[in-house]
Amino acid sequence: MPSVFLTAEWRHLVMLNFPIEPKALQMLTPKGTEIDDWEGTTYVSLVAFLFLDVKVKGLAIPFHRDFEEINLRFYVRSRGPEGWRRGVVFVREVVPKQAIAFLARMLYNENYVACPTRSSVIDPSGDTTGSVEYGWQHDGQWLSIGAEFSGEPSLPKKNSLEEFITEHYWGYSTQRDGGTVEYQVEHPQWKVWEAIAPKMSSDVVGFYGPEFASALGNPPSSAFVADGSAVIVRDGIRMEDRANA
């Protein structure tokens, strides 16, 4: 098994999910994977969360331990020795630190960009509604996504969309030579709240490009907030080296 690359906590994940035509993702699908769907529908998700207590190879990097991340992702699967491995491909990931973006681009060829970020998290209490909102600044304007939620979170129902979105434990990225790197992400199953009032600023559509305009230009077909957990991200390996991992 590959060594641990990164440990952290991912908390208060807001997930806005949008149906999309599979052909819009074909050119972005890494070699050795295929697009994964839920009940015949392909999804992209806007996901934002708090990335906390980050350690790389067991070391905490000063001023780079706690920050926000916002990403657009879609879902793939790949046949591993034990059966299907269900994973995600990131279209674009936003973090506030240049060093984090640089490291991710160099090691995984992930499309990370550094932008100023901000967040607001209010947990629900009694009859009080909770809320999460994440923002990032691009070309002088603030973009944002968020949601309101209430009550107690619960584990997703079996075979539900919430289970599909949260139960992908692999990441895949296309390398500069056209090959594919695969890495494992470990965490317990998350509990979720159904979002009461998901929101997204209209300028988010332009940030991700015209190929996503038809999907992101509509309200999300589903939205929820996940409580999150501690996570482990293992070193990436090239797909052709799986047998030796």
Side-chain angles (χ1 to χ4, degrees):
M1 177 178 290
S3 300
V4 172
F5 170 67
L6 178 149
T7 61
E9 293 190 15
W10 294 350
R11 295 293 181 183
H12 290 97
L13 299 94
V14 58
M15 297 180 161
L16 310 184
N17 310 299
F18 305 81
I20 192 171
E21 289 296 325
K23 64 182 180 181
L25 305 174
Q26 290 293 347
M27 296 297 292
L28 298 173
T29 302
K31 183 179 178 181
T33 72
E34 61 183 57
I35 293 172
D36 198 5
D37 63 52
W38 182 74
E39 296 189 345
T41 299
T42 301
Y43 286 89
V44 293
S45 298
L46 273 170
V47 179
F49 58 98
L50 296 175
F51 215 135
L52 305 175
D53 195 24
V54 177
K55 295 180 181 177
V56 177
K57 293 296 185 180
L59 300 176
I61 303 173
F63 309 111
H64 292 74
R65 294 188 64 178
D66 301 326
F67 51 88
E68 297 90 358
E69 179 177 315
I70 304 98
N71 65 62
L72 179 66
R73 71 186 198 180
F74 66 96
Y75 304 92
V76 298
R77 63 181 187 172
S78 177
R79 182 73 74 176
E82 75 287 1
W84 286 114
R85 294 178 173 180
R86 304 175 76 180
V88 301
V89 177
F90 295 102
V91 177
R92 201 175 194 187
E93 297 163 273
V94 176
V95 291
K97 303 288 188 179
Q98 289 284 356
I100 297 167
F102 176 81
L103 186 66
R105 290 194 300 265
M106 291 299 101
L107 293 181
Y108 291 98
N109 200 36
E110 297 277 19
N111 187 18
Y112 268 79
V113 295
C115 301
T117 63
R118 63 189 183 189
S119 60
S120 172
V121 176
I122 300 173
D123 284 311
S125 177
D127 295 331
T128 303
T129 299
S131 66
V132 289
E133 184 171 355
Y134 295 91
W136 67 106
Q137 191 176 44
H138 177 68
D139 287 343
Q141 61 181 333
W142 281 96
L143 315 178
S144 65
I145 66 170
E148 296 179 0
F149 58 104
S150 64
E152 294 295 325
S154 60
L155 292 175
K157 294 180 181 179
K158 188 72 174 176
N159 299 320
S160 65
L161 178 59
E162 289 81 4
E163 182 186 60
F164 173 83
I165 295 295
T166 57
E167 297 289 287
H168 283 72
Y169 293 101
W170 299 86
Y172 295 91
S173 61
T174 299
Q175 302 303 288
R176 294 171 184 84
D177 63 0
T180 300
V181 160
E182 172 189 76
Y183 54 92
Q184 189 173 9
V185 180
E186 301 174 14
H187 63 76
Q189 189 177 27
W190 292 331
K191 294 181 178 181
V192 300
W193 293 270
E194 182 179 356
I196 300 170
K199 55 185 177 181
M200 178 181 75
S201 59
S202 59
D203 294 325
V204 169
V205 177
F207 181 76
Y208 289 104
E211 62 268 43
F212 297 99
S214 60
L216 301 183
N218 295 307
S221 63
S222 81
F224 56 90
V225 176
D227 58 356
S229 67
V231 299
I232 293 172
V233 179
R234 295 195 175 271
D235 284 332
I237 62 170
R238 295 184 66 95
M239 296 277 278
E240 59 266 28
D241 296 333
R242 270 179 174 176
N244 301 319

